[in-house]
Amino acid sequence: MKTDPLTPTNLSDRPPFQGKLLIDGVWAAAASGSQLERKSPAHDLVVAVYAQAGVEDAERAIAAARKAFDHGPWPRMKGAERAAVLRKVADLILERKQALAEMETLENGKPLAQSLAEIEGAADLWQYAATLARNLHGDSYNTLGENTLGVVLRDPIGVVSIITPWNFPFLIVSQKLPFALAAGCTAVVKPAEVTSGTTVMLGQILVDAGMPAGAVNILVGRGGVIGDVMVTHASVDMLSFTGSTAIGKAAVAKSASTLKKVSMELGGKNPQIIFEDCDWDAAVDAAVYGIYFNAGQCCNSGSRILVQQTIAEKFVAEVIERSKRVKVGDPLVAGVQVGAITTEKQLETILAHISSAKEQGATVALGGSRIPGKGMYIEPTVVAGVTREMAIAQEEVFGPVLAVLTFNTLDEAIALANSTLYGLSAAVWSQDFSTCMSAARRIKAGTVWINTFLEGHAELPFGGYRESGLGRELGRFATEDYTETKTLHMHLGTRTDWYVPR
Ligand code: NAP
């Protein structure tokens, strides 16, 4: 049934989305009958009601994924057959993109046009993973002597627990699930409970695309309850987690009880280094875009700008001037660039970071407050006079709050860039090739953008150094992460006896 596009005026006519749990190919209520509700952070209206999984449901989902892996068709299909299903999923995502984008916006608070772009980007990831499903292969060694042949197989690792955050719900599940499936794994997926809608809708897409029962199971519920089961259960072979560094570290520690393979995409405190010879307009634009995109609720946010002292005053004045013109408001209104903060807890966290920056001697040069009225919005905020020891220079705020630091030399800039525990991404802005390359090679981060920011492609690996994560997603090796390596060591002809001659 076709519905009219969602607007602020027809929003209250829409009944809340009803979501169940997908276990072993069947949509089910929670064993306990428990439910949870989600309100739109921009409109304070109930937009979804879900079956809320408990431990028993999580155990059933894991058992279904285990059975699908050990006995089901998915790991046994040809790569070409798996690729066909993944391509069908991509097609269905594009067919349903308006409904998916609306759900994402209602639960997360991000502008609708941005949600649409993310859904299209996610479809591209499913398509890319389909190409890898046909290309996954091992290796062979014909150089080990006349009597020996070595063959290295890539086996799917097994059952993967996939746990995702609330800032890019559909995009992040699409950075993991299609690659795990391409390798022949089965999965149990848990989105952040506040933004479960699009992952539940993906479940229906998977069913419609012909995914065998149990190959993908979807649970809605609290991380502290079902997440714990997914992290520790002996029938799970691998954990693929995106979220905060604190919860990620705890999950790695818990998963060690059964020595699971882990893939961790965690927090960041990403610097954009602005040299005096930068392309001025592009760098100002990137500083503004880098911090306000997704209301700063982005692991890759450019939350620190490091500006060369010679241009600092003028550069910051221009960033402030442009920040004032950023359109913040109802994410369903066309032209809005920054929507609502996704949760009340996050709103409080952001405001607490701003207060602590003031207490530690920094200056709030722009914004700094909640915008009064309906919905949870924070003013675009620029904090100047920041030094490297301050919490605002070290900790992830996850909000529209830019910290400004200054430097004199390239060495100082690198030292500042590498002065946090994180290492997710960074940017270098200079029109001098040597400056760009020298800085990029010395920055400890998984991605360094040169004269651009926040761009991504399915072909390019993504992940963090240090406390920003373990492992890489995307790129041509993305499926290999979801495999075990098996060596076949083959002897040809008569084997020489070891001890007792025959
Ligand atoms: P979070 O609080 O760490 O939650 C992430 C996920 O973990 C959610 O699904 C959450 O469930 C679940 N969880 C909570 N407690 C758990 C437990 N004890 N065991 C297992 N799972 C548990 O992170 P968030 O606030 O949603 O997301 C923001 C963070 O994600 C930021 O730090 C950001 O930098 C990071 N992030 C990193 C990347 C990257 O690729 N590097 C990308 C995006 C976001 P519930 O919330 O439902 O309880």
Side-chain angles (χ1 to χ4, degrees):
M1 191 183 64
K2 215 165 159 48
T3 49
D4 290 335
L6 200 58
T7 63
T9 34
N10 69 13
L11 169 63
S12 49
D13 305 339
R14 283 273 177 106
F17 174 77
Q18 302 287 329
K20 290 189 172 169
L21 315 175
L22 180 60
I23 302 179
D24 210 5
V26 177
W27 289 104
S32 66
S34 162
Q35 290 195 317
L36 68 83
E37 260 183 17
R38 174 61 176 155
K39 283 186 176 175
S40 162
H43 315 96
D44 200 28
L45 212 74
V46 175
V47 291
V49 180
Y50 299 99
Q52 174 170 246
V55 171
E56 190 183 333
D57 304 297
E59 284 174 344
R60 274 207 320 122
I62 292 168
R66 185 78 258 163
K67 186 178 75 178
F69 186 78
D70 292 342
H71 308 290
W74 187 254
R76 290 159 191 86
M77 281 182 185
K78 291 178 188 162
E81 292 169 320
R82 284 201 288 267
V85 177
L86 299 182
R87 280 198 308 273
K88 177 79 182 157
V89 173
D91 291 346
L92 291 175
I93 290 172
L94 291 175
E95 252 178 64
R96 300 176 197 179
K97 67 181 178 183
Q98 183 67 25
L100 286 161
E102 289 175 358
M103 190 77 237
E104 200 81 312
T105 285
L106 287 179
E107 291 197 317
N108 171 281
K110 66 179 74 195
L112 189 53
Q114 183 190 323
S115 293
L116 259 178
E118 285 172 18
I119 302 297
E120 286 167 358
D124 182 54
L125 298 182
W126 284 84
Q127 273 157 359
Y128 180 67
T131 67
L132 297 183
R134 297 192 75 165
N135 274 302
L136 181 64
H137 59 82
D139 215 346
S140 63
Y141 290 83
N142 199 24
T143 52
L144 309 174
E146 277 211 327
N147 294 334
T148 306
L149 178 63
V151 173
V152 181
L153 303 182
R154 286 282 179 180
D155 272 349
I157 194 164
V159 174
V160 184
S161 280
I162 293 180
I163 299 181
T164 57
W166 45 256
N167 58 343
F168 293 96
F170 199 74
L171 203 53
I172 290 176
V173 74
S174 301
Q175 285 181 201
K176 299 174 182 293
L177 184 58
F179 298 93
L181 291 172
C185 294
T186 62
V188 178
V189 182
K190 190 203 95 62
E193 86 199 48
V194 291
T195 53
S196 299
T198 51
T199 304
V200 171
M201 291 165 83
L202 175 63
Q204 189 56 49
I205 287 175
L206 292 167
V207 171
D208 295 346
M211 188 64 63
V216 179
N217 304 274
I218 294 175
L219 298 172
V220 175
R222 295 187 199 289
V225 180
I226 56 170
D228 251 13
V229 183
M230 291 169 66
V231 166
T232 53
H233 203 287
S235 292
V236 171
D237 301 291
M238 176 173 171
L239 168 64
S240 177
F241 175 94
T242 298
S244 61
T245 292
I247 304 241
K249 280 182 181 175
V252 172
K254 286 181 199 167
S255 72
S257 63
T258 46
L259 211 61
K260 294 184 200 321
K261 185 170 184 181
V262 293
S263 165
M264 294 277 143
E265 298 292 340
L266 308 175
K269 188 75 192 176
N270 315 295
Q272 294 209 61
I273 309 180
I274 323 281
F275 288 94
E276 59 188 3
D277 64 347
C278 64
D279 172 341
W280 186 270
D281 274 332
V284 172
D285 181 71
V288 172
Y289 166 61
I291 188 61
Y292 303 127
F293 175 70
N294 214 44
Q297 301 174 123
C298 187
C299 55
N300 263 332
S301 278
S303 51
R304 292 184 290 158
I305 55 166
L306 318 181
V307 196
Q308 197 152 21
Q309 192 68 57
T310 43
I311 57 163
E313 197 176 324
K314 185 166 172 241
F315 190 87
V316 174
E318 201 156 325
V319 166
I320 289 175
E321 191 40 46
R322 276 201 217 177
S323 300
K324 288 180 188 161
R325 289 188 272 132
V326 169
K327 291 196 185 81
V328 184
D330 188 327
L332 292 176
V333 171
V336 161
Q337 292 164 297
V338 177
I341 301 302
T342 306
T343 68
E344 207 166 332
K345 186 167 156 239
Q346 189 55 31
L347 184 93
E348 284 161 12
T349 304
I350 297 166
L351 294 173
H353 275 290
I354 297 170
S355 297
S356 113
K358 282 194 254 182
E359 279 159 25
Q360 293 184 6
T363 311
V364 176
L366 178 74
S369 305
R370 178 177 182 171
I371 299 175
K374 197 165 75 170
M376 297 187 286
Y377 300 94
I378 289 193
E379 296 173 313
T381 297
V382 177
V383 181
V386 176
T387 54
R388 68 194 277 176
E389 324 67 52
M390 290 181 186
I392 197 80
Q394 295 292 328
E395 293 170 13
E396 187 180 45
V397 173
F398 224 55
V401 181
L402 181 65
V404 181
L405 294 92
T406 58
F407 66 89
N408 288 300
T409 64
L410 186 136
D411 282 351
E412 265 177 52
I414 302 301
L416 268 181
N418 291 336
S419 68
T420 74
L421 294 172
Y422 296 110
L424 189 57
S425 61
V428 183
W429 291 91
S430 164
Q431 301 200 63
D432 180 79
F433 179 76
S434 299
T435 306
C436 289
M437 291 314 294
S438 169
R441 291 174 72 170
R442 291 167 65 191
I443 292 169
K444 294 191 172 77
T447 298
V448 180
W449 284 287
I450 298 173
N451 294 325
T452 186
F453 198 62
L454 278 186
E455 289 191 54
H457 292 278
E459 290 82 352
L460 300 180
F462 172 65
Y465 279 37
R466 302 196 283 186
E467 296 197 9
S468 286
L470 284 173
R472 294 290 180 272
E473 294 186 333
L474 309 181
R476 69 191 161 106
F477 300 117
T479 42
E480 290 188 0
D481 227 25
Y482 295 97
T483 64
E484 281 280 19
T485 301
K486 181 186 284 169
T487 298
L488 302 186
H489 191 144
M490 294 177 257
H491 185 83
L492 316 173
T494 313
R495 190 173 167 272
T496 312
D497 295 333
W498 170 60
Y499 186 56
V500 186
R502 65 192 76 197

